[in-house]
Amino acid sequence: MPRPRSRNYPLLSAAAVVSQLGSQSALIASAFAVLSTGGTAGGVGLVATARTVPMVLFVLVGGALADRIPRHRVMVAANALSCVSQGAFGALVLLTHAQLWQMVVLSALGGTGQALFGPANEGMLLSSVDPARAGRAFAVYRMAVNGATIGGAAMGGALVAWVGPGWVLAVDSASFLVAGTLRTFLDLRDVPRRVPGAGVLDDLRDGWREFVSRSWLWTIVAQFSVVNAVAVAGQAVYGPLVAHDHYGGAGPWGVANAAFGAGTLVGALTMTRWQPRRLLLAGTLGIFPFALPLAALAVPVPAALLTCAMFVAGASVEVFGVGWMTALHQEIPEEKLSRVSSYDWLGSMALVPVATALAGPAQDAFGRGQALWGAAGLMVLLTGAVLFVPDVRTLRRRPHGGTPGVGAEPGAEGITPAETGAAAGRGPDRAAPPEAGDAAGPRGDGGGIVPPARHTAAGPGPSADAEGSVGRAG
């Protein structure tokens, strides 16, 4: 097991598991809450959209705030907002007074909390581990959250059937209370004092300069803006349709989704032992199998082969997820982690609503099989294109988490500044991130065809939890 630099790593991991269990249960409960009040599928979609839109609108603000004030305060405040909004949602359902507009408003408040929480959590997590053990630490974290995602989805379905959606939403509210309480115990003794910049807009511009100065960073985010979008469209729209028409219903599709979740656990477990030297090269190669489920649905292949494709996709995508988190931890200055993370989040989420909205018209225009083949081909094409970026191929894991230019001549250990991104702005004066994470996430979300988890783990469908969103890094 990786040894944390302080108690922050186990606290952050425990809090993530608790809130992920509640949030994945709430994903199912919120849909049935709408239906229990006489709502339709359109109402379910409206409530889900109401949560997504604030995440896109406010994630950059969340990143700037998390780099201006102590990150743990942002995280606890966001958890409190989610606790109150989910508690009110559950109370309205239990009292049978819930109206659609009220559920939309409360869902939007939850999305706002997610937008504020995500970048702060990622910045805190990335800087809370010893650089020499970062890869294993992130793999264990992702494995724990992935397991909580799978368990939360199973628990949510059972609890909704047993006690009803209102009580499940109340449980989710309690999970945010517990998670926020755990985060108040984060060790802040060695956290550098925050020195706010001239203003939020100046901070965002500074974060943008940091983001675009690294070719490996912005090109992969651009790649995943499309990869995430077509993956979610395949999972949320085409997968259930194929299951209904060719597999006899939801049962085989549920088994395939479970196989994807099991694959993420196996992949994360593998990454606790295997630490590829070229982080992003190995990770990007792991994205190619992520197109297999889309291709399997396009044929469509027998259900057993689809299940195998989902398992392989889940396992391979974890190679990327752990490598991505390690690269951010290694290359991004600690004081800018949350702002850079917020641009990553924004790129990962922005096209998802567009893709899901266009999935139906694309099927009508080209046919379902052609739309799925197009999505799989686009994923493969963009992943191959990223490999032409030199820094993606050459960025290497530094021995013991060291920083280029510190106690070594250029090229020592076979690592050059170009390969590590030092020339892109980290600089020799920025050694390994300071201890504890306040001054300083894996995505996503879905058992099934889902985005490679960046700020979350994999779970059934686009996640609305406070630990994850569409993305890549934990």
Side-chain angles (χ1 to χ4, degrees), residues 2-6 8-10 12-13 123-138 141 325 329 432-437:
R3 290 185 297 171
R5 300 177 73 183
S6 70
N8 291 351
Y9 174 82
L12 289 167
S13 300
M124 182 72 110
L125 176 66
L126 290 176
S127 62
S128 67
V129 299
D130 190 299
R133 300 176 179 87
R136 294 184 64 198
F138 297 144
Y141 176 87
M325 293 183 73
H329 173 271
E435 202 164 324

Side-chain angles (χ1 to χ4, degrees), residues 59-424:
V59 69
L60 292 182
V61 175
L65 288 176
D67 280 339
R68 289 177 64 84
I69 61 179
R71 290 187 179 120
H72 74 292
R73 295 181 184 175
V74 178
M75 296 163 67
V76 171
N79 283 167
L81 178 59
S82 296
C83 175
V84 171
S85 63
Q86 290 295 82
F89 198 163
L92 285 173
V93 174
L94 289 171
L95 296 173
T96 67
H97 296 319
Q99 300 180 31
L100 182 60
W101 72 266
Q102 294 171 323
M103 291 186 279
V104 167
V105 170
L106 292 171
S107 184
L109 288 175
T112 303
Q114 165 66 18
L116 298 176
F117 175 88
N121 178 65
E122 184 162 319
M124 182 72 110
L125 176 66
L126 290 176
S127 62
S128 67
V129 299
D130 190 299
R133 300 176 179 87
R136 294 184 64 198
F138 297 144
V140 171
Y141 176 87
R142 292 173 66 90
M143 186 165 55
V145 179
N146 286 347
T149 301
I150 298 169
M155 181 177 71
L159 287 177
V160 167
W162 182 32
V163 298
W167 286 110
V168 177
L169 291 166
V171 169
D172 185 35
S173 174
S175 75
F176 283 115
L177 177 61
V178 173
T181 301
L182 287 174
R183 289 169 177 130
T184 64
F185 290 100
L186 291 169
D187 184 0
L188 309 176
R189 289 173 297 179
D190 298 317
V191 171
R193 183 178 178 182
R194 279 277 173 253
V195 180
V200 172
L201 289 179
D202 288 335
D203 286 348
L204 287 175
R205 281 192 289 267
D206 188 35
W208 175 254
R209 286 191 293 268
E210 195 75 31
F211 177 77
V212 298
S213 68
R214 292 167 168 79
S215 59
W216 61 268
L217 179 58
W218 67 262
T219 53
I220 288 179
V221 170
Q223 169 206 6
F224 270 83
S225 67
V226 178
V227 168
N228 282 346
V230 298
V232 172
Q235 188 275 339
V237 181
Y238 296 135
L241 293 174
V242 173
H244 179 272
D245 294 343
H246 296 280
Y247 299 135
W253 181 236
V255 172
N257 287 344
F260 182 93
T264 64
L265 294 178
V266 171
L269 180 62
T270 300
M271 295 306 292
T272 64
R273 311 296 300 178
W274 179 46
Q275 298 186 30
R277 183 112 183 250
R278 299 196 181 191
L279 297 168
L280 297 181
L281 176 61
T284 300
L285 291 175
I287 297 304
F288 285 107
F290 195 55
L292 287 176
L294 293 173
L297 290 171
V299 174
V301 301
L305 288 180
L306 173 64
T307 299
C308 291
M310 297 282 260
F311 179 85
V312 172
S316 65
V317 82
E318 284 300 300
V319 178
F320 176 85
V322 174
W324 180 253
M325 293 183 73
T326 307
L328 291 176
H329 173 271
Q330 174 177 288
E331 299 298 323
I332 304 301
E334 185 277 333
E335 69 275 9
K336 299 179 182 180
L337 275 170
S338 290
R339 276 169 287 174
V340 170
S341 171
S342 69
Y343 285 107
D344 182 12
W345 275 66
L346 180 63
S348 298
M349 294 187 296
L351 295 182
V352 170
V354 176
T356 53
L358 292 179
Q363 175 177 282
D364 295 339
F366 307 109
R368 186 189 303 156
Q370 287 74 14
L372 281 163
W373 280 120
L378 191 58
M379 189 180 293
V380 170
L381 179 65
L382 290 174
T383 302
V386 167
L387 291 175
F388 285 95
V389 179
D391 283 349
V392 172
R393 299 193 309 271
T394 60
L395 185 73
R396 300 189 185 187
R397 185 188 308 270
R398 289 198 288 271
H400 310 299
T403 301
V406 180
E409 294 296 324
E413 299 291 336
I415 306 171
T416 66
E419 290 172 325
T420 60

